[in-house]
Amino acid sequence: MPSISALTGFQFYHGGFARDYQWTAHALGMRHFAVQHDKYFTAPNEPKVNYPEGFQGSKITVVGKVVADIIEERLAMRI
């Protein structure tokens, strides 16, 4: 079985976005996905940098199926 490189970094956020996780993931050779509740972004179509109130708070929601679908697509090398 050939090896695949599906290394992926996830960032979950609520209304804001910072590039720190994106830069780290890319520096490590990983694909980065920013997930905001029920939608996701990846390079080169990323959200604008924004630091609203509660940006790194404890009320970040995410739809698990969205994350599971990304994982399945990455393992199949479709994204």
Side-chain angles (χ1 to χ4, degrees):
M1 175 186 285
S3 65
I4 61 170
S5 178
L7 293 172
T8 305
F10 283 93
Q11 175 180 359
F12 304 102
Y13 68 101
H14 176 71
F17 178 73
R19 294 200 181 277
D20 52 352
Y21 291 109
Q22 178 222 19
W23 287 330
T24 302
H26 288 181
L28 295 171
M30 303 163 96
R31 181 90 184 262
H32 172 266
F33 288 86
V35 180
Q36 182 182 28
H37 187 65
D38 62 349
K39 57 188 170 218
Y40 72 88
F41 304 89
T42 190
N45 301 313
E46 295 166 330
K48 292 185 178 207
V49 172
N50 185 22
Y51 300 97
E53 183 71 31
F55 167 62
Q56 293 181 324
S58 60
K59 296 182 180 172
I60 299 171
T61 62
V62 65
V63 175
K65 180 165 180 5
V66 172
V67 177
D69 288 347
I70 293 170
I71 292 168
E72 287 180 6
E73 293 294 307
R74 285 294 292 151
L75 291 174
M77 300 305 288
R78 291 190 286 259
I79 58 173

